[in-house]
Amino acid sequence: MSTFNSAAIEEFKGVWVFCEQRQGKMMPTNFELLSEGRKLADDLGCDLCGILLGDNVEGLAAELGGYGADKIYVCESPLLKDYTTDAYAKVICEVVEEYKPEAFLIGATNIGRDLGPRCAARLHTGLCADCTGLAVDMDKYKQFLRDSSTLDVDGMKWNGEDRNLKMTRPAFGGHLMATIICPRFRPCMATVRPGVMKKAPFDQAKSDACQIVKPAFALAAEDMKTEVVEVVKAAKKLVDLIGAEVVVSVGRGISKDIKQGIALAEELAAELGGVVGSSRACVDSGWITADHQVGQTGKTVHPRIYVALGISGAIQHKAGMQESECIIAVNKNDTAPIFEVADYGITGDLFKVTPMLIEAIRSAKA
Ligand code: FAD
């Protein structure tokens, strides 16, 4: 065990969020995690802090404060301009060892999924990957505080038990939700699925009150085994499912005429100002690219309107869309599980129903 993690659990205080930036642009998960982290920090009675790495990124910190951070630790160096596992893990571990947060949240983006386990291993602590729910149960802790103020509890020591972060994630192929704790080590680390936590409204007063801290760290070129030579953007524009207000998804129900099924979904999405999503069945069949996939192993969305065309509603699909504000399902089988979560269910052939929906929207607009 490292000397760091032999420190008493009570020495660890604060909820921290890794704030990811790419080429000076904030990732939306930062705001979701800070909003959720604020609730956890309030329950725990501690500070919420962000940690932001990059080159010349201090100017981005105030925005993070607007989502509830009390402090942002800003680590700047030309060596941190682009993400590399070695440099980011080294700096984060140094700062975490110095300030000892009790919980550390990271967005489960491609970068977060790489960075989180590396840091957890170095810090000799546990990480729960791909979480969809976070909570702390403070009941026992509050009882302890009550007892210790009224009883003679010489030597009685809080073991930190119920300051544990309860990290919930799908298990066994999504058939049950497991709640996991990390009782003996700190910080409790979690990567959190993008799009699951709700972003709070931006608060200018909180942003103004947010403190910027510049921690000391040592980083030299020799610490890095890789060098980013060039950042090349994907030639194809990926669909922004997570930020979309309307998602029209297709499932295996389009198999009769795949081209026509996708064209109908695109037309309906265009009428509603939305984007096209899909079930995994369509991705696995090669009918649509993986960036469209909604569900447990795809994206989690909660748009204002979610339309499911020819999707059965398997648990793994529902895991990614059931928090949508309004769900409209079209399926020819009236016992399809998608109807269990649908606000409006239409039993029928999607190739007949979808053109009628498009027409109805057009005439309503006219
Ligand atoms: P099906 O289940 O085959 O359903 C097709 C539906 O279309 C049926 O209900 C049928 O009645 C209807 N239909 C057929 N023809 C028509 C028509 N003409 N008009 C109207 N309705 C019609 N799935 C995901 O979607 N996302 C995930 O992220 C995901 N992750 C997974 C992770 C794991 C570990 C596992 C084991 C599975 C995962 N799956 C995921 C797969 C999931 O279990 C289902 O197999 C998948 O969602 C089924 O897709 P579907 O509803 O399109 O197809």
Side-chain angles (χ1 to χ4, degrees):
M1 193 197 293
S2 70
T3 46
F4 169 64
N5 239 317
S6 53
I9 264 182
E10 310 89 88
E11 288 176 32
F12 293 79
K13 284 273 149 32
V15 175
W16 280 33
V17 172
F18 169 63
C19 297
E20 182 182 334
Q21 57 81 27
R22 295 185 192 176
Q23 278 90 53
K25 221 177 147 252
M26 284 289 170
M27 296 301 283
T29 42
N30 300 342
F31 310 129
E32 296 163 13
L33 289 192
L34 287 169
S35 306
E36 187 66 16
R38 182 69 266 164
K39 292 185 226 156
L40 299 172
D42 289 345
D43 282 349
L44 290 162
C46 64
D47 278 348
L48 171 68
C49 306
I51 176 163
L52 174 66
L53 278 65
D55 190 23
N56 285 321
V57 287
E58 188 179 336
L60 305 174
E63 188 181 8
L64 299 168
Y67 293 92
D70 298 299
K71 285 181 200 159
I72 302 292
Y73 290 86
V74 179
C75 306
E76 293 181 309
S77 157
L79 298 173
L80 296 170
K81 182 171 179 288
D82 295 306
Y83 173 78
T84 60
T85 318
D86 295 322
Y88 272 53
K90 180 167 193 293
V91 172
I92 287 176
C93 291
E94 267 187 37
V95 179
V96 164
E97 289 187 0
E98 173 67 23
Y99 292 92
K100 299 189 178 62
E102 60 193 299
F104 195 103
L105 314 179
I106 301 178
T109 60
N110 291 343
I111 284 178
R113 283 169 203 251
D114 178 66
L115 180 66
R118 180 72 69 108
C119 292
R122 281 204 193 167
L123 296 167
H124 278 263
T125 188
L127 176 139
C128 183
D130 225 15
C131 295
T132 54
L134 297 170
V136 276
D137 178 358
M138 297 296 292
D139 288 351
K140 277 199 195 158
Y141 184 60
K142 285 179 188 152
Q143 182 62 43
F144 167 80
L145 290 179
R146 278 197 293 274
D147 291 351
S148 54
S149 60
T150 51
L151 305 172
D152 178 12
V153 284
D154 200 20
M156 185 173 164
K157 212 167 163 218
W158 173 247
N159 64 7
E161 186 191 348
D162 275 357
R163 287 181 74 90
N164 284 321
L165 187 62
K166 295 182 165 184
M167 301 170 277
T168 301
R169 55 153 297 149
F172 296 103
H175 288 278
L176 60 84
M177 300 301 281
T179 297
I180 293 159
I181 57 169
C182 174
R184 292 191 298 124
F185 298 102
R186 292 291 184 267
C188 306
M189 293 188 71
T191 58
V192 182
R193 284 185 67 114
V196 175
M197 306 300 176
K198 292 230 164 77
K199 180 174 102 170
F202 177 82
D203 183 333
Q204 188 59 50
K206 282 186 187 161
S207 165
D208 295 343
C210 178
Q211 205 187 323
I212 309 289
V213 183
K214 294 275 198 89
F217 61 87
L219 181 67
E222 305 81 77
D223 296 320
M224 297 160 69
K225 295 182 201 72
T226 51
E227 184 191 348
V228 178
V229 179
E230 193 187 353
V231 178
V232 183
K233 294 241 168 88
K236 180 180 166 291
K237 197 176 175 306
L238 300 179
V239 62
D240 178 18
L241 279 178
I242 291 176
E245 291 264 291
V246 177
V247 178
V248 178
S249 287
V250 288
R252 214 191 318 256
I254 62 165
S255 62
K256 196 167 71 182
D257 187 342
I258 298 150
K259 243 176 133 184
Q260 170 71 355
I262 293 175
L264 283 171
E266 282 172 347
E267 216 178 323
L268 181 56
E271 283 304 325
L272 293 168
V275 298
V276 174
S278 104
S279 72
R280 178 159 148 182
C282 299
V283 174
D284 288 351
S285 304
W287 301 344
I288 197 161
T289 50
D291 53 310
H292 293 268
Q293 186 183 319
V294 173
Q296 186 191 320
T297 42
K299 306 266 167 43
T300 302
V301 297
H302 28 72
R304 270 193 315 110
I305 303 174
Y306 187 87
V307 186
L309 301 174
I311 293 178
S312 60
I315 189 162
Q316 298 90 355
H317 186 81
K318 288 196 281 196
M321 48 66 75
Q322 62 196 357
E323 298 296 324
S324 305
E325 273 177 45
C326 175
I327 298 171
I328 302 167
V330 181
N331 197 301
K332 66 179 185 186
N333 174 5
D334 65 1
T335 63
I338 193 74
F339 289 131
E340 292 162 12
V341 293
D343 298 284
Y344 298 95
I346 304 169
T347 308
D349 183 346
L350 72 93
F351 291 96
K352 291 193 185 132
V353 175
T354 315
M356 288 159 82
L357 287 174
I358 295 167
E359 200 38 56
I361 294 163
R362 281 189 187 141
S363 12
K365 280 188 191 166

